[in-house]
Amino acid sequence: MAHLDEPAPTPYAPPPTGTVTVYRGGTLLDGTGAAARPGTTIVVDGATIAAVLPDAEVQTPAGADVVELAGRFVIPGLIDAHQHLATPPNREAAEAALRRQVYGGVTAIRDMADDLRHIADLTRGTLVGEIAGPDIHYAALMAGPGFFDDPRTWQVSQGETPGHVPWMQAIDDDTDLVMAVALARGTHAKAVKVYAELPAHLVAAITAEAKRQGIGVWAHAATFPATPGEVVAAGVDAVSHVTLIAQEAAGEPLTSYKTKPVIDVERLVRDGDPRLDALYAAMVERGTVLDATASMWTFLGEQAGDADAKARALANDTLSAKLTADAYRAGVRLATGTDYETEPAEPFPSLHLELRYLAERCGIPAAEVIRCATQVGAISMGAQDTTGTVEAGKLANFVVLAADPTVDLANLSTIEYTVKRGHRFDRADYDKGMQ
């Protein structure tokens, strides 16, 4: 019998339990929305936070490593609630993106459906510390049969047939949903992603079965023909893309993902719409998280190859800012997803741009933006019991900054290091690699 190769090295692994580090004297924004707490000590044991207390109340354990944080600011690890790392699969590009994210303060992401054969290995690699990167929480996609001529579905199903693989399934009235959800669970997905070409009754049936089997449901805000209101009423945990929310105010019935009704952007931006107000109220009542991807249209406008595409992107960008601001003011919980990534030569990930967009274009206070990117991000992926805030008993996921991000979110670029599952990622190490 052949011998197995030596195990892969794990340079980014969490430290073992019993390895205690005391981070003393920082100003903590814990992600709960509470006021900043100067003079706070965070005691980390292995991968977990053991205590968060005023400096004067902490007696340093014998043998602990002490890190002085005087003049520094601490926030929870950031969460990008909408990423795609493998459409199409490219291991080198994915690892580079993951590395930039974790050194840029991102300790978890939601991967919103990809080639899960590839994503599962990346998830394992970042979890055990073979590669540098945030924790990955990923979804298996379900859509109507008419969706699977989309070329992206072939990119993520190479060697197999799109719509007929566990990570990307075509659903209709004849589908055995118990088996379909079980197959999705077998990919180790944290959720089912409900995408397109699905009527309301199937969105509701998928959601009910997924909840029965104990996994989450993440959905496009409209699945055509299901409207945003019908998607929310189905009980999904989170909806993506704020501009799809506008379809609740469409002047004609939704039919297909490929033939979306034209939205009167100027009217919605100028006057709003009572149907949208009712939708926000329903989302608040149900606790539905909105993964707005608010800054995505700014990025698409910059990437547009012709004047018409740029004009469409800019119109959607205006709509995105308006609807995101309205949803926030209505009390909807916002998560900070991006659905794009900055160019490899850029020093920080796209999530930094999303956070600044929410503050600058949507008028959301910086401290609340941070809560959206931490506590609400954790809620969006069902991980609020283990991450999203700096509290005893949770994972040691936090970011140390040289300047106060509540004064200016551009201060997120003053990262000194990220702590993810107790492992320290020094920004200086990343910057050296960029030179």
Side-chain angles (χ1 to χ4, degrees):
M1 182 176 180
H3 291 289
L4 296 175
D5 292 336
E6 289 294 318
T10 54
Y12 308 104
T17 300
T19 304
V20 178
T21 304
V22 177
Y23 295 88
R24 183 189 298 279
T27 295
L28 174 64
L29 294 102
D30 65 12
T32 67
R37 296 153 60 183
T40 297
T41 292
I42 304 166
V43 181
V44 174
D45 186 346
T48 307
I49 297 172
V52 182
L53 294 166
D55 293 340
E57 296 181 17
V58 176
Q59 295 213 347
T60 303
D65 183 21
V66 178
V67 181
E68 296 293 345
L69 297 184
R72 287 7 180 237
F73 297 82
V74 182
I75 62 172
L78 301 172
I79 296 171
D80 188 333
H82 200 124
Q83 269 289 341
H84 293 279
L85 294 169
T87 303
N90 181 322
R91 182 76 183 208
E92 182 179 0
E95 287 195 20
L98 289 166
R99 183 173 184 272
R100 181 170 54 166
Q101 286 162 354
V102 75
Y103 280 101
V106 180
T107 57
I109 65 170
R110 285 198 313 166
D111 188 285
M112 296 295 287
D114 272 312
D115 189 333
L116 297 190
R117 297 168 296 184
H118 185 74
I119 294 299
D121 189 45
L122 292 170
T123 300
R124 183 194 61 82
T126 60
L127 181 63
V128 303
E130 287 178 5
I131 59 177
D135 288 339
I136 304 169
H137 300 247
Y138 58 83
L141 183 143
M142 293 184 181
F147 170 66
F148 289 93
D149 60 359
D150 188 304
R152 295 170 297 175
T153 67
W154 292 90
Q155 291 176 334
V156 300
S157 305
Q158 294 175 44
E160 302 291 346
T161 303
H164 300 278
V165 291
W167 61 92
M168 192 151 292
Q169 298 183 65
I171 305 296
D172 61 22
D173 286 324
D174 295 324
T175 300
D176 180 345
L177 287 181
V178 174
M179 180 59 71
V181 172
L183 287 170
R185 288 176 60 213
T187 68
H188 206 54
K190 301 295 186 184
V192 168
K193 179 180 180 180
V194 180
Y195 195 83
E197 305 294 328
L198 286 170
H201 73 278
L202 282 180
V203 176
I206 292 167
T207 302
E209 182 56 32
K211 296 296 182 69
R212 190 187 72 81
Q213 294 194 35
I215 63 171
V217 184
W218 308 336
H220 262 202
T223 63
F224 302 91
T227 66
E230 290 169 334
V231 172
V232 169
V236 303
D237 300 300
V239 296
S240 294
H241 303 310
V242 72
T243 50
L244 287 180
I245 291 285
Q247 295 293 338
E248 188 72 4
E252 59 188 90
L254 309 192
T255 54
S256 168
Y257 176 77
K258 301 166 187 174
T259 56
K260 301 180 184 72
V262 175
I263 297 297
D264 187 345
V265 171
E266 289 187 8
R267 181 185 68 82
L268 287 182
V269 170
R270 183 183 65 247
D271 302 326
D273 191 288
R275 290 169 291 185
L276 296 181
D277 297 334
L279 177 62
Y280 301 145
M283 294 174 71
V284 171
E285 181 181 358
R286 289 182 169 273
T288 312
V289 175
L290 173 59
D291 156 32
T293 63
S295 66
M296 180 184 70
W297 290 104
T298 301
F299 172 78
L300 292 176
E302 292 168 352
Q303 301 293 312
D306 60 72
D308 287 345
K310 190 174 187 68
R312 285 194 299 272
L314 291 176
N316 275 305
D317 182 59
T318 301
L319 182 63
S320 178
K322 164 67 173 173
L323 298 187
T324 302
D326 287 349
Y328 170 76
R329 285 194 293 268
V332 175
R333 295 192 292 197
L334 295 180
T336 54
T338 57
D339 202 17
Y340 69 96
E341 193 47 272
T342 47
E343 294 298 321
E346 292 295 321
F348 292 100
S350 57
L351 187 59
H352 286 223
L353 300 179
E354 177 74 8
L355 270 56
R356 290 168 63 181
Y357 186 101
L358 293 178
E360 295 165 8
R361 296 286 305 280
C362 305
I364 302 175
E368 276 294 290
V369 172
I370 292 169
R371 189 179 69 84
C372 293
T374 55
Q375 185 183 52
V376 181
I379 292 168
S380 78
M381 58 192 189
Q384 62 268 33
D385 291 341
T386 59
T387 194
T389 55
V390 179
E391 298 179 88
K394 293 195 174 183
L395 291 171
N397 293 345
F398 54 87
V399 186
V400 175
L401 306 168
D404 186 350
T406 64
V407 172
D408 186 344
L409 284 168
N411 287 336
L412 290 172
S413 66
T414 69
I415 291 175
E416 296 194 353
Y417 48 88
T418 303
V419 177
K420 181 231 166 179
R421 289 182 177 261
H423 181 91
R424 179 167 157 171
F425 294 84
D426 287 292
R427 180 69 196 186
D429 292 339
Y430 183 80
D431 291 337
K432 288 175 187 174
M434 292 285 287
Q435 293 170 0

